[in-house]
Structure formats: structure tokens, C-alpha cells
């Protein structure tokens, strides 16, 4: 397991954050998980703005785990913004949300989401999902080049 | 007709004209022949008498010859002198006989001939001895001479009498022949003249008659021609009138608005009715107001331009008068005039025709025609105006109804769109509600489950069994509630999402469903027999998988705890409405459903058993039914309490994808 990689978790519910982090631990994933609690903060982090200007502490993530229902700026808006940034538009984004509504699912895919996962009711299933995501996006997936036109 | 009737008469007359001259000519010829015969017979008689006379002369000559010869012999005594006597003696008797025959028609002459013959015989009796005596040379006594002379004289006298009688007869007969000739000529002339006159008269009569007949016929024909011309003229007129009315009708049908419609109608009407100005006013009887809707002027300015507002009282002195046709033949001599007519009179109009526009006995307006000539509108013009007024009234009413209908339609449309907006709003609220249910309601549930799980895992050892059981209960109910919310969301999603039907293999669908049910199947050790080669159907794959999963899940779940679930899955083909349907059966050996409950099990939240014995949300079969409905299929059940259930779903058989997917919304017949 590489420690060079970072995952950015955009989640406003601290309990969910706790459970996700716990699941990561339970899945024995050592990848660094950076957490921001709203859409604006996600933009600041990805843009390298304060308080996330230090790229050594806050490196660009390998992929983003994005909740949809967020304060200030919704997950969909964050995704749309990412896809408009020349530097970031290839960044893999996985939606992790409670909604299974087709309107949400289709809209996110239309905006360019790389995966859409409904939060499972069972904790063990969450562990399975995180294991899979890690395997897919970090271990096996060829990472795109960011920042190059 | 008039020419045909005398045809037989004419023929009769013609026959007569030919027959009568022929008869007359025959008569003429007959009479001529008869006359000629008469004439010929008269001439014959003359000729006959001439022959008698010549015969008589000849006889007399013979007698003279005899006497002369005899005398010569007596004187000379030579035989030579006696020769004429002997010659004549041979001829005389036959001649006398012949003469007698010739005059056989006349007894007195016959008598004379007989007397003559007798005298001759007497003379001859004396001659013969005298000759004998002369031969002997004896002398003739004078008495004998005298006696013979006496007889000869007597004979001469007799012949002379005979001849004179015959001559008398001849002259008589000549006269008769002459008279006959004259009469023949005369009668012929008379007859010819008479017949000629008759014929001339007859021919004159015939010619007169024929000429009269033809004069009559000619007159009749002339009369007919005149009539035909007149009817042609009236036909033309009525055709023109009809055409104009038709044009008006068309204009009425074509135009949607009142004003151009009436304007066109008035223009068209001018082709058949002569007027200088026309206008149509509509009345509002309740408000007692009137408005000029359309006008048409041929000369000068309009007396009442379009849009002029008046009162109903301006049109007639009494409102009841408005209901009838009013015709003022001469405005200048009219005594009392309503204001409208006064205005028309001021503009120089002399006659005015006002026709009411009525719809169902209700006065809606008036058509007014005005002319600068007095009594300009004859009966035909009035009729046309009346017809046009009727059409206009209908058109006005139609326009009114159309407007009313349009208003109603607009109102209805407004209501529909309002209601639609309301419904959309409600729908959006509903969607927002489902969204928050799916997101907000499940989020705490998930954390409850997650934290309970964490509690059990992280602190489980510090708790006794009771505490751990509590946590297990919390997790169980959280999972139960999550299932309920999931089912509800699935159900609501089925009603809202769009479904497209694709050919779907039932075998794969069943396989997927069984995969999802692996845990339950293993838990209950369920025996599931799936028929080989399940066919394809037209369906929405995920919806069908969910329905089949629910059905098989129920078949496993609703079985007595002591019984091993045994499930048979197979399909059959049916026909309905000319289409091929697939009916798939899921037959179990479960607890069964009483017939009275078989309809209820498909409703939302309908549960037949307590959560203790058979846990569930009560939505599973509702999802099945909703899903099948959305796919144009049907679901049903046959069951007896305690004898298992036979659930079936029916869907149209799969068609190649190239076909249009217009599925028949009517489900197949559920009866067997």
C-alpha cells in the first residue's frame, strides 16, 4: 500500500466522516484521507488556496470521494467546477451519497462523474466498497496526468 | 302536344285530298264514256238510215231496170233488151229481203216493204205471161199495159213513201245526233267546270286548312319559344340568385369575424338586388342599444358608417315593429319616420327595406337596404333580402357561439394548465419529499447502524450479553427500517421513472434474481427448479429482475418454518389480441393465500401476517404489480390456504429489436 497517494473526502456529516475513516482503517487502507466539509472548502483545497496552499501538507488527491448534499456549494457544482478547470478536469471523481434517485445519478454522470456509489446501510458493505475503490483507483487504475494540457 | 293531336286529322285530310280528285275524275270519265256511247249510237242510227235509203234507192233502180228491160223487149222483141230485166230480177228479191231486215225495228216500214214485195210479185205475175206472149208474137192488150203501169206506179209511190219516211227519219236522227253532240259537249264542259270548281274549292279548302294548321303550329311554336325564353331568363335569374346566395354562404363559412363576413355578403348581394346602400345593425335588446356592424355603399358617403352607435328605438317607433319586415316604398311621402329613416331621407334615399335578423325567434339585428329610387325593391328583392338576412342571422349566431366556445376552451385550457401547474408543483414537492427521505432519513439511520456496529466491535467486550443484545436489536431495526425506506423508494421510483421495453431473456432475469437471493436460499435450503430454455419477453430488465426477485423471495419466505421451500419456475406461451404472450409461473409449497385475500396482497402495506412470523415491509408485491403494469404486463396468483401459491407474470413475447416497441397496454386475459 502506497502512502504517496491522497484521497480527498468531501463530506459535511462528521459522523459519516468518522464512519468512513473507520472503514478505511478496518479495510487496512493506509492512503492519506484529507477531509473537507463543504463545497467551497473542496474548491479551495483543489485550487491550492489558503488554508490549503501548502501542497506538501495538502497534495492533490488521486481521486475525490464526493458527497452530493453539501452546505454552500453542492457536490454537483463542485464536480462541474472541477471539469471546467484545465488543471483538474481529468481528476477522477467518485460520488458517494445517500441518494439513489436517477435524477441525481444521471446528472452526476452527465457532469462527468467517474463512479456513483450509494452509501450502504451496512457498515461492512462500506468497508467492502472502500477496499474496492482503493484497489481500483489506486492500485490498478492508470492515473491521468493533471495540470498538463 | 298541339302539333301531335291534329296529326291523325291531317292524315285523314291528306287521304281525302287524294281520294276525292280520283273519285271526281272517275266520275268525269264515266260520264264522258256514257256520253260518247250515246253520241256514237246516235251517229250509228243516222248511218243506218242512210244505208236503208241507199238500199231503197238501189231497189227502186232495180225495179226501173226491170221495167225498162221488159218494155224494151216488148217493143223490140229481142232478147237483148230483156237482159237488164233478168239481171235485176235476180237481185231484186234479196234486196227487198235485206231492206226488210234493215228496217225490222220499224214496223210501219216493214209493212211498206211487205206491201212493195206483194206489189212486185203481182207485177211480176203479169210480166211473165206478157213476155211469153211476146215470144209468141202476140200483141199486148192495152188493159194489161194499164194494169202493169198501175202496179208500177203504185210500187214507185210505195218506194218514194218508204224513202221519204226514211229521209224524214234520217233528218230526225241527224238532228238527234247533233243534239246529242251538243249535249255531250255541254255536259262535258259543265262537268269539267263543276269538277274543276269542286277540286279547286277542295284544294283551296285543304290549303287553307293546312296553312291554318301551320299558322297555329307556328304560333304555338312562337309561344313556346317565348315561354322558353322567359323561363330561361327566370332560370338565369334564379341561378344568379342561387350563386349569389351560395357565395354569401361560402363567405359566411369562410369568414370568422362578423364584419368582413357581412361586408362580403352585402357585396355579393348587390349582384342580385339593386340598392345604393346597405347596412347591418346588431341589437342589444336588454340595453336597448344598436350598433352598425357593416355597411356597403355604391354611391356617396355612408348614411350610417360602421361603428355608429344608436338605440333600438332609432330603428322603429315601437319595438314590436322590429320583428317584421318593413318596407317604405317612398320616404318622401311617409308620414311618421323613425330617426334612421329620417337620416336616410335627408341623404336623398327614397325607399328602404328593413329585414330583421332572428335566431330562434330572438331578434339579434337588422339588415337595411336603401335606394334613391322609390319602390326599388320588388317581391324578388324582398325574398332575397329575407334569405340573406336569415343566413346572416345564423352566421352571427355561429360567430357568437364560436366566440363563446373559444372562451370556454380558453377557460378550460387555463384551468387545465393551472391544474397541471398545481399537479407539477405537488409532484415536485413529492419528489423533494422522496429525495429528502432517501437522503436525509437514511443518513441518520445509516449512522445509527454504523455507530451501533462500531460500539459492538470497539466496546463489545466491555458489555455483558444483555448490552450486546440491545445493540443487536438496534442494528436489526435500523436494517429493517432501511429496507422499508428502500422498498418505498423503489416503489415510488417505479411510478415515476421512464421505462423502455427491450427484448429480455427470462432465464437471465431468473438467474440474476436467484443470485440476489443467495443468502435466503441458503438459509432456508430452498429447492428451486427452473425450467430449461425460458423464452424472451419485452421488458425493462432491472424492473423485471426486481419483480422476479420479490416473487421468488416471497416463495422462500412464506413457507412453514418446518417445511423446506420447493419452488418451480416455468413459462408458457399464450395468445391474446393477436399477440403472443409469455406467462411465467412461480409455484411454491408455501402457506398459501385465502381467495378473499388474493387481491389485497398486491396493495401497498397490505400484510397478512405479523412481523414476528413473517417479517416484511408489505411493499414487495405492490412493487411487482406496479412494475408489470409499467411494462404493459400483468401479474396474478392462484392459491388455496395451506396448499401453496402459484404466482404468474405475463409479458409480450420478445420481438426482434428492429420492430417498433409499441406495446399493447391491455394485459392478457388472466383467466385459464
Amino acid at each position: 500500500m502506497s502512502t504517496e497517494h491522497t484521497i480527498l473526502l468531501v463530506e459535511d456529516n462528521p459522523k459519516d466522516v468518522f464512519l468512513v475513516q473507520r472503514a478505511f482503517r478496518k479495510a487496512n487502507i493506509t492512503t492519506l484521507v484529507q477531509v473537507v466539509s463543504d463545497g467551497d472548502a473542496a474548491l479551495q483545497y483543489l485550487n491550492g488556496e489558503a488554508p490549503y496552499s501548502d501542497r506538501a501538507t495538502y497534495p492533490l488527491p488521486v481521486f475525490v470521494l464526493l458527497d452530493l448534499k453539501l452546505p454552500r456549494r453542492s457536490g454537483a457544482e463542485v464536480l462541474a467546477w472541477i471539469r471546467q478547470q484545465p488543471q483538474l478536469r481529468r481528476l477522477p471523481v467518485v460520488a458517494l451519497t445517500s441518494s439513489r434517485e436517477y435524477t441525481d445519478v444521471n446528472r452526476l454522470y452527465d457532469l462527468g462523474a467517474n463512479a456513483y456509489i450509494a452509501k450502504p446501510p451496512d457498515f461492512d458493505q462500506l468497508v467492502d466498497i472502500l477496499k474496492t475503490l482503493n484497489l481500483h483507483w489506486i492500485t490498478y487504475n492508470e492515473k491521468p496526468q493533471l495540470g498538463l494540457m | 302536344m298541339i302539333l301531335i293531336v291534329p296529326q291523325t286529322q291531317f292524315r285523314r285530310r291528306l287521304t281525302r285530298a287524294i281520294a276525292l280528285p280520283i273519285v271526281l275524275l272517275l266520275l268525269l270519265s264515266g260520264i264522258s264514256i256514257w256520253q260518247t256511247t250515246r253520241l256514237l249510237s246516235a251517229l250509228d242510227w243516222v248511218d243506218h238510215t242512210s244505208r236503208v235509203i241507199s238500199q231503197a234507192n238501189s231497189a227502186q233502180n232495180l225495179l226501173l231496170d226491170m221495167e225498162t228491160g221488159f218494155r224494151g223487149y216488148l217493143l223490140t222483141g229481142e232478147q237483148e233488151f230483156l237482159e237488164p230485166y233478168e239481171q235485176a230480177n235476180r237481185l231484186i228479191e234479196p234486196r227487198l229481203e235485206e231492206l226488210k231486215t234493215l228496217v225490222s225495228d220499224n214496223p210501219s216500214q216493214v209493212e211498206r216493204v211487205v206491201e212493195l214485195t206483194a206489189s212486185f210479185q203481182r207485177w211480176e205475175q203479169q210480166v211473165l205471161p206478157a213476155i211469153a206472149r211476146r215470144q209468141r208474137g202476140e200483141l199486148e192488150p192495152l188493159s194489161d199495159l194499164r194494169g202493169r203501169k198501175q202496179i208500177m206506179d203504185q210500187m214507185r209511190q210505195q218506194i218514194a213513201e218508204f224513202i221519204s219516211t226514211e229521209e224524214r227519219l234520217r233528218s230526225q236522227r241527224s238532228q238527234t245526233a247533233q243534239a246529242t253532240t251538243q249535249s255531250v259537249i255541254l255536259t262535258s264542259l259543265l262537268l269539267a267546270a263543276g269538277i274543276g270548281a269542286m277540286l279547286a274549292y277542295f284544294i283551296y279548302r285543304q290549303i287553307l286548312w293546312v296553312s291554318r294548321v301551320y299558322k297555329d303550329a307556328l304560333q304555338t311554336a312562337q309561344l313556346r319559344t317565348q315561354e322558353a325564353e322567359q323561363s330561361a331568363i327566370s332560370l338565369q335569374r334564379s341561378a344568379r340568385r342561387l350563386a349569389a346566395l351560395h357565395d354569401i354562404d361560402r363567405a359566411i363559412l369562410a369568414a370568422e369575424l362578423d364584419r368582413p363576413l357581412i361586408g362580403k355578403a352585402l357585396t355579393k348581394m348587390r349582384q342580385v338586388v339593386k340598392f345604393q346602400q346597405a347596412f347591418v345593425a346588431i341589437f342589444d335588446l336588454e340595453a336597448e342599444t344598436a350598433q352598425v356592424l357593416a355597411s356597403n355603399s355604391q354611391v356617396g358617403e355612408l348614411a350610417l358608417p360602421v361603428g355608429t352607435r344608436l338605440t333600438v328605438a332609432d330603428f322603429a317607433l315601437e319595438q314590436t315593429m322590429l320583428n317584421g319586415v318593413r318596407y317604405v316604398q317612398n320616404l318622401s311621402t311617409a308620414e311618421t319616420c323613425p330617426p334612421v329613416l329620417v337620416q336616410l331621407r335627408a341623404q336623398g334615399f327614397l325607399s328602404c327595406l328593413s329585414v330583421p335578423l332572428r335566431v330562434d325567434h330572438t331578434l339579434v339585428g337588422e339588415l337595411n337596404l336603401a335606394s334613391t329610387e322609390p319602390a326599388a325593391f320588388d317581391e324578388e328583392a324582398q325574398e332575397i333580402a329575407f334569405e340573406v338576412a336569415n343566413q346572416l342571422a345564423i352566421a352571427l349566431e355561429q360567430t357568437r357561439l364560436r366566440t363563446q366556445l373559444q372562451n370556454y376552451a380558453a377557460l378550460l385550457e387555463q384551468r387545465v394548465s393551472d391544474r397541471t401547474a398545481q399537479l407539477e408543483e405537488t409532484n415536485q414537492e413529492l419528489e423533494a419529499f422522496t429525495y429528502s427521505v432517501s437522503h436525509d432519513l437514511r443518513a441518520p439511520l445509516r449512522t445509527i447502524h454504523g455507530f451501533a456496529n462500531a460500539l459492538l466491535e470497539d466496546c463489545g467486550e466491555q458489555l455483558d450479553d444483555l448490552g450486546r443484545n440491545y445493540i443487536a436489536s438496534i442494528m436489526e431495526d435500523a436494517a429493517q427500517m432501511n429496507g422499508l425506506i428502500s422498498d418505498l423508494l423503489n416503489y415510488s421510483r417505479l411510478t415515476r421513472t421512464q421505462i423502455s421495453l427491450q427484448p429480455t431473456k427470462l432465464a437471465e432475469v431468473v438467474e440474476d434474481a436467484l443470485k440476489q437471493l443467495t443468502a435466503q436460499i441458503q438459509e432456508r435450503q430452498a429447492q428451486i427448479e427452473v425450467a430449461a430454455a425460458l423464452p424472451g419477453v419485452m421488458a425493462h430488465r432491472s424492473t423485471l429482475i426486481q419483480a422476479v426477485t420479490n416473487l421468488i423471495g416471497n416463495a422462500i419466505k412464506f413457507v412453514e418454518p418446518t417445511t423446506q421451500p420447493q419452488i418451480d419456475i416455468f413459462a408458457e406461451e399464450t395468445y391474446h389480441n393477436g399477440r403472443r404472450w409469455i406467462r411465467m409461473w412461480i409455484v411454491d409449497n408455501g402457506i398459501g393465500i385465502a381467495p378473499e385475500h388474493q387481491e389485497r396482497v398486491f396493495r401497498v402495506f397490505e400484510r397478512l401476517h405479523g412481523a414476528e412470523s413473517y417479517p416484511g415491509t408489505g411493499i414487495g408485491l405492490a412493487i411487482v404489480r406496479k412494475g408489470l403494469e409499467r411494462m404493459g404486463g400483468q401479474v396474478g396468483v392462484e392459491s388455496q390456504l395451506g396448499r401453496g401459491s402459484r404466482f404468474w407474470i405475463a409479458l409480450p413475447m420478445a420481438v426482434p429489436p428492429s420492430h417498433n416497441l409499441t406495446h399493447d397496454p391491455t394485459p392478457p386475459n388472466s383467466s385459464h
Side-chain angles (χ1 to χ4, degrees), chain B residues 178-232:
Chain B
Q178 217 171 345
T180 309
T181 310
Q182 276 171 357
S183 85
V184 163
I185 289 164
L186 201 66
T187 49
S188 293
L189 278 174
L190 281 175
L191 263 172
I195 287 170
M198 269 174 76
L199 271 176
Y201 176 71
F202 178 74
I203 288 164
Y204 165 75
R205 279 277 310 272
Q206 293 302 321
I207 286 168
L208 201 69
W209 179 79
V210 166
S211 73
R212 206 166 53 220
V213 164
Y214 276 91
K215 214 166 87 186
D216 284 356
L218 207 64
Q219 269 180 353
T220 314
Q222 273 174 348
L223 216 65
R224 284 291 169 87
T225 314
Q226 276 174 358
E227 277 173 15
E229 273 169 7
Q230 270 178 356
S231 57

Side-chain angles (χ1 to χ4, degrees), chain B residues 615-636:
Chain B
T617 58
I619 303 174
L621 285 176
I623 288 174
V624 172
R625 179 148 82 172
K626 181 64 78 182
L628 265 296
E629 269 175 19
R630 291 302 309 274
M631 292 186 287
Q634 213 185 19
V635 62

Side-chain angles (χ1 to χ4, degrees), chain B residues 446-461:
Chain B
R446 204 173 50 243
T447 46
I448 288 169
H449 190 272
F451 275 93
N453 184 278
L455 182 64
L456 196 62
E457 281 183 13
D458 295 358
C459 316
E461 288 171 11

Side-chain angles (χ1 to χ4, degrees), chain A residues 22 26 69 100 104 121, chain B residues 435 440 457-458 482 493:
Chain A
R22 187 170 175 272
K26 201 177 176 187
K69 212 180 174 204
R100 293 179 63 204
D104 286 334
Chain B
Y435 187 84
D440 297 357
E457 281 183 13
D458 295 358
N482 190 67
R493 197 155 57 164

